[in-house]
């Protein structure tokens, strides 16, 4: 069983920074999804894909994974690059 740990990214549609400090542990798919013969929806028998755990820090997520023997891959948060721009720059 493997999983990945990452920090929640900010959605392009949101301006606030609430819940961005949470770290998420998300399990990797154990089997491929296959189409349902009747409806055509994608599905699988893997229920671990539905589990998403949230932690306040990366260390807490790593400790949880170590406690239960889960192999994890930690994805570091990319640095935020702000493009400082004034309203007057639109009219140059």
């Amino acid at each position: 069983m493997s999983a990945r740990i990452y920090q929640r990214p900010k959605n392009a549609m949101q301006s606030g920074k609430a819940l961005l400090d949470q770290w998420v542990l998300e399990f990797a798919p154990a089997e491929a999804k296959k189409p349902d013969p009747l409806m055509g929806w994608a599905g699988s028998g893997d229920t671990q894909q539905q589990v998403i755990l949230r932690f306040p820090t990366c260390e807490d997520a790593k400790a949880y994974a170590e406690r239960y023997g889960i192999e994890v891959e930690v994805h570091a948060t990319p640095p935020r690059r702000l493009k400082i721009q004034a309203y007057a720059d639109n009219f140059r």
Side-chain angles (χ1 to χ4, degrees), residues 57-88:
T57 63
C58 182
E59 288 75 26
D60 290 342
K62 286 181 189 176
Y64 178 86
E66 186 176 320
R67 186 178 329 125
Y68 290 103
I70 302 168
E71 297 175 24
V72 293
E73 180 180 341
V74 179
H75 294 274
T77 306
R80 292 185 61 208
R81 290 174 290 199
L82 297 176
K83 182 178 177 184
I84 307 299
Q85 185 173 346
Y87 178 68

Side-chain angles (χ1 to χ4, degrees), residues 8-67:
R8 294 179 61 163
K10 190 175 102 144
N11 187 339
M13 299 300 294
Q14 69 185 144
S15 60
K17 295 178 183 165
L19 304 178
L20 292 182
D21 55 344
Q22 290 184 349
W23 287 81
V24 177
L25 186 139
E26 191 173 69
F27 291 96
E31 63 182 53
K33 291 188 178 188
K34 51 190 173 272
D36 181 55
L38 178 63
M39 300 297 287
W41 297 339
S44 73
D46 182 23
T47 57
Q48 287 288 359
Q49 279 184 293
Q50 301 171 7
V51 178
I52 297 175
L53 302 173
R54 293 176 179 84
F55 297 94
T57 63
C58 182
E59 288 75 26
D60 290 342
K62 286 181 189 176
Y64 178 86
E66 186 176 320
R67 186 178 329 125

